[in-house]
Amino acid sequence: MTQKTNTGAPRKRRQYDAAFRTEALRLASESRSTQAAARQLGISPKLLYKWQKAAHPVLEEGSGEGESAAMRQLRAENRRLQQERDILKKALAIFMPPTT
């Protein structure tokens, strides 16, 4: 998508190198808001949000693809611990004397 200036000549999009993007993401993470960081850098907040999304893709719950082995292991351990907790709750209810 090229934009035209008042003279009719197409205006080229600004290209940002990887170093600038990395620095912008660092500044955004340290800043109080992404919009404030974008204003400070002189770029569109939408562009900075786009870079953040590309740098940190969100994994959908339960998606096997892209999910790291560590995450799968943690999810399995979490399920096991929840089952153990539920068993202990039931055992406690069985062995506790009834309250009157």
Side-chain angles (χ1 to χ4, degrees), residues 46-79:
K46 287 183 180 182
L47 181 60
L48 192 50
Y49 282 122
K50 181 179 171 184
W51 291 347
Q52 286 175 329
K53 187 175 180 179
H56 305 289
V58 177
L59 294 176
E60 292 183 13
E61 190 72 28
S63 67
E65 297 176 19
E67 189 173 337
S68 69
M71 283 297 289
R72 285 192 300 273
Q73 182 180 3
L74 288 172
R75 288 185 199 283
E77 183 179 1
N78 191 18
R79 281 191 300 273

Side-chain angles (χ1 to χ4, degrees), residues 20-89:
F20 180 82
R21 288 182 184 192
T22 303
E23 183 63 21
L25 291 172
R26 185 193 61 77
L27 182 63
S29 68
E30 293 174 355
S31 179
R32 60 182 170 85
S33 74
T34 302
Q35 290 186 351
R39 275 193 305 271
Q40 188 176 357
L41 292 167
I43 61 174
S44 167
K46 287 183 180 182
L47 181 60
L48 192 50
Y49 282 122
K50 181 179 171 184
W51 291 347
Q52 286 175 329
K53 187 175 180 179
H56 305 289
V58 177
L59 294 176
E60 292 183 13
E61 190 72 28
S63 67
E65 297 176 19
E67 189 173 337
S68 69
M71 283 297 289
R72 285 192 300 273
Q73 182 180 3
L74 288 172
R75 288 185 199 283
E77 183 179 1
N78 191 18
R79 281 191 300 273
R80 184 183 57 80
L81 290 172
Q82 287 174 346
Q83 288 174 345
E84 287 178 7
R85 181 202 60 204
D86 292 342
I87 290 169
L88 290 172
K89 280 184 181 179

